[in-house]
Amino acid sequence: MEDHVTPRRVVIVGGGFAGLFAARALHRAPVAVTLIDRRAHHLFQPLLYQCAAGILSEGQIAQPLRAVLRRHANVRCLLADATDVDVTGRAVHAQRPEGSSIVVPYDDLIVAVGMRQSYFGHDEFAAHAPGMKTLDDALEIRRRIYRAFEMAESATDAGDRRHWLTFALVGGGPTGVELAGQIREIAANTLDREFRTIDPREVRVLLFEGSDKVLAPFGDRLARRAARPLDDLGVELHLGTRVTDLNDQGLTVKDRDGAAVRHRARTVLWTAGVEAPPIAAVLARTTGAQQDRAGRIAVEADLTLPGHPEIRVVGDMMSLNRLPGLAEVAMQSGAYAGRAVRHAVEGRTKKPKPFKYVDLGSAAYISRGRAVVKAGPLHLSGFTGWLTWLFIHIAFLTGFRSRLGAVLSWSIVFASGARRERAFTLPGAGPVGRRHAVTAAPREP
């Protein structure tokens, strides 16, 4: 009788940078990998704002997970949302999109679900101020940005036009700075000759940040260099402010002196703060792991959970040595976890070295030809920083087609200011919406 050996079962929860690099590290390893994600694509999250701004298409920043991993014969992808972890029985419980449940057993578990947008206890703000974490978020922000100009064009009151042409962004980190710069560029270079009633260049962009500088993690020097081009673009910085109220008409903030100020803006975008998704609390409860204020899971030096060497937490959701939530941290920690599992399966008895993050730097795009880059002692800004930013993002984009398409799109925008990806839809604009509108209309007497 033939002897069948069941390969070791590795479950990876999350198909972002950390999960993808963990799966790649297990390529050709004698394991059966199951990758569970609530979305069927891998998203290049650092360029989400460019999708929202109409520079890049969805297909240039999002690739189907199955396509990315098609040559990994030992990897199976499942479209589901992980909801629970049975630590004793070693199984992940997940919910499929239509509501049914599945149970996926594991011998090794790698949790790489990332973080989600945080509204600091005011979840009601989400309905009026979308965040920037998912592809749906980017498309919603695109809709709101370009809709605002259209609504201003048809407004009959000057005050209403100003209201629609005022954009408020909460959060002065890389995403907030990048998105603020993009809105000003859209107004000045893309839409400047397309409207007859309004002048898009009259748009106001307000950027609110709780600290005393934008891009604080980049250090004082680069923060000052980033503030100058933002000022040149016309972005209004409101530093040392905290949002206390927000609705579809604008937001109220408190300044350093505690004074409340109301700002009218029909488009408010949220780029501040992150928190762990619900699965983090579930995992902490079932394993006894500790969580920080944002819900991140504290891990050992080898990224395992205390008392559970079969479970590793990687990427943004891990808490280790105050590492930042950067794509490069996710890539390196995911690859480390995958290699650790592979070495254990291959019978290597030597204990793996502690995870050590190699800081390759951070970069933020401000406007055409201007970016800031921090890589160890190297601090770049202006055009040199922009070229470095360009090279970094081309290098890490998934797939040759994505790289080529991005380069062509960036070339068009840089040369002419034109943006090809400006299509957006409005709620109720389709045939079903029109049918409902007709049905609800009052009858003529």
Side-chain angles (χ1 to χ4, degrees):
M1 179 180 290
E2 186 178 354
D3 184 21
H4 294 278
V5 178
T6 302
R8 188 155 167 168
R9 301 164 300 182
V10 181
V11 172
I12 301 173
V13 181
F17 286 117
L20 180 61
F21 274 69
R24 284 176 168 173
L26 290 165
H27 186 40
R28 295 195 178 93
V31 296
V33 181
T34 301
L35 192 154
I36 303 172
D37 197 291
R38 60 187 302 183
R39 296 177 180 87
H41 59 261
H42 167 71
L43 179 65
F44 194 87
Q45 204 172 70
L47 290 178
L48 261 180
Y49 75 95
Q50 294 210 359
C51 179
I55 297 176
L56 301 179
S57 69
E58 305 94 296
Q60 289 170 313
I61 64 169
Q63 295 288 321
L65 278 168
R66 297 183 185 280
V68 176
L69 297 170
R70 64 188 180 277
R71 293 188 174 89
H72 294 63
N74 62 339
V75 179
R76 179 177 69 137
C77 297
L78 292 182
L79 180 63
D81 186 13
T83 56
D84 197 4
V85 178
D86 179 0
V87 176
T88 303
R90 295 198 177 187
V92 174
H93 294 252
Q95 187 175 53
R96 299 168 67 208
E98 94 293 355
S100 63
S101 298
I102 56 174
V103 178
V104 185
Y106 67 83
D107 297 303
D108 290 278
L109 174 63
I110 299 175
V111 182
V113 294
M115 301 287 277
R116 65 180 184 178
Q117 200 74 63
S118 172
Y119 290 86
F120 305 110
H122 291 279
D123 291 345
E124 69 276 10
F125 291 174
H128 308 295
M132 182 72 82
K133 284 293 180 183
T134 69
L135 197 56
D136 290 335
D137 291 338
L139 296 178
E140 173 64 15
I141 289 174
R142 181 196 294 179
R143 181 178 73 84
R144 295 193 182 210
I145 290 174
Y146 288 103
R147 180 193 64 171
F149 290 99
E150 297 293 341
M151 295 299 292
E153 174 74 3
S154 61
T156 57
D157 177 74
D160 194 25
R161 283 196 294 271
R162 287 194 299 271
H163 198 185
W164 278 109
L165 289 177
T166 302
F167 297 80
L169 292 90
V170 182
T175 302
V177 166
E178 290 164 339
L179 198 52
Q182 285 302 308
I183 294 173
R184 285 296 306 174
E185 283 205 335
I186 289 170
N189 302 313
T190 303
L191 306 179
D192 56 326
R193 293 184 297 273
E194 295 189 4
F195 290 87
R196 302 295 175 261
T197 303
I198 64 170
D199 182 356
R201 291 171 294 186
E202 295 179 355
V203 70
R204 293 182 64 202
V205 179
L206 317 177
L207 181 60
F208 298 89
E209 165 59 31
S211 66
D212 60 355
K213 63 176 73 72
V214 295
L215 298 179
F218 285 71
D220 292 343
R221 182 182 175 190
L222 285 183
R224 288 193 300 270
R225 291 186 180 182
R228 284 198 297 269
L230 286 174
D231 184 62
D232 294 341
L233 286 170
V235 176
E236 302 174 30
L237 299 181
H238 296 262
L239 305 177
T241 55
R242 179 171 58 89
V243 177
T244 59
D245 188 34
L246 191 157
N247 57 28
D248 60 354
Q249 299 297 310
L251 71 169
T252 302
V253 301
K254 278 191 176 182
D255 59 21
R256 294 187 182 95
D257 300 326
V261 182
R262 182 69 179 176
H263 297 270
R264 298 182 75 236
R266 288 303 299 263
T267 305
V268 182
L269 308 176
W270 194 276
T271 61
V274 292
E275 64 183 11
I279 190 64
V282 171
L283 189 61
R285 185 181 66 251
T286 56
T287 63
Q290 299 296 312
Q291 293 181 275
D292 65 11
R293 292 180 60 183
R296 299 180 185 89
I297 301 288
V299 298
E300 302 280 18
D302 62 355
L303 309 187
T304 62
L305 296 187
H308 293 277
E310 78 282 2
I311 301 177
R312 294 169 174 82
V313 177
V314 296
D316 292 356
M317 205 180 81
M318 73 176 185
S319 176
L320 177 69
N321 300 330
R322 304 177 70 87
L323 288 174
L326 299 175
E328 188 58 40
V329 176
M331 294 175 190
Q332 293 183 29
S333 60
Y336 173 94
R339 288 194 302 267
V341 172
R342 189 183 71 217
H343 293 168
V345 173
E346 292 172 350
R348 304 191 190 187
T349 57
K350 187 177 180 180
K351 185 178 180 180
K353 295 180 180 180
F355 172 69
K356 184 178 180 180
Y357 170 58
V358 179
D359 187 0
L360 299 181
S362 306
Y365 180 110
I366 300 172
S367 63
R368 287 190 300 168
R370 290 184 284 187
V372 292
V373 176
K374 177 184 178 183
L378 183 65
H379 290 189
L380 302 174
S381 60
F383 189 71
T384 304
W386 182 79
L387 287 176
T388 306
W389 174 94
L390 193 68
F391 173 79
I392 291 171
H393 286 76
I394 290 173
F396 285 112
L397 269 174
T398 303
F400 173 79
R401 182 178 178 184
S402 296
R403 293 190 186 102
L404 180 60
V407 170
L408 290 174
S409 297
W410 287 332
S411 300
I412 292 171
V413 173
F414 188 75
S416 65
R419 294 163 191 253
R420 301 167 58 187
E421 306 297 336
R422 287 166 46 188
F424 67 95
T425 60
L426 295 174
V432 174
R434 288 196 296 270
R435 184 166 62 248
H436 284 296
V438 171
T439 303
R443 295 182 180 180
E444 295 182 0

